Amino acid sequence: MSISLADRQALLAQLQAELLDGRTGIGAAVRRLRTELTGLRQDQFARMCRISLNTLQQLEHDQGNPTVRTLNAVFAPFGMRVGIVPRTPPAATDARP
């Protein structure tokens, strides 16, 4: 699969923003990354990430309860990892010296 670096970066930025504000779920993001950036079938991608096909299928359908290790395994090929972020940005008046 051939995608330009600019298109790859744009898709990554778009998905990160959608994940942060809740417009997309983890499963949909993983599925889009897998299909649009790698072009791999589920079995190929699961093998690359060293997870089971069943785990990937559940993850892409927002089922099951994936571990942080599993999530990091599927996001690592795209230079991403799971982290803790605030739900909303702090208001300017909330800033403390």
Side-chain angles (χ1 to χ4, degrees):
M1 166 157 252
S2 179
I3 183 170
S4 73
L5 181 59
D7 288 342
R8 175 186 166 87
Q9 291 172 331
L11 178 61
L12 287 170
Q14 176 189 6
L15 286 174
Q16 287 172 355
E18 289 177 7
L19 282 165
L20 281 171
D21 67 18
R23 286 181 287 154
T24 193
I26 290 174
V30 170
R31 186 171 38 259
R32 285 192 63 197
L33 290 168
R34 176 182 60 80
T35 59
E36 296 179 34
L37 292 186
T38 71
L40 296 175
R41 296 186 319 259
Q42 282 182 326
D43 62 315
Q44 295 169 317
F45 187 71
R47 193 171 28 257
M48 181 181 80
C49 295
R50 297 182 179 186
I51 62 172
S52 73
L53 175 58
N54 185 52
T55 297
L56 178 60
Q57 289 171 335
Q58 287 181 346
L59 180 59
E60 287 190 0
H61 289 95
D62 291 317
Q63 298 172 341
N65 189 16
T67 64
V68 171
R69 177 177 281 170
T70 296
L71 293 172
N72 283 333
V74 297
F75 284 117
F78 310 106
M80 299 166 65
R81 66 180 175 172
V82 176
I84 298 172
V85 296
R87 287 183 174 222
T88 57
T93 57
D94 289 347
R96 291 185 172 81

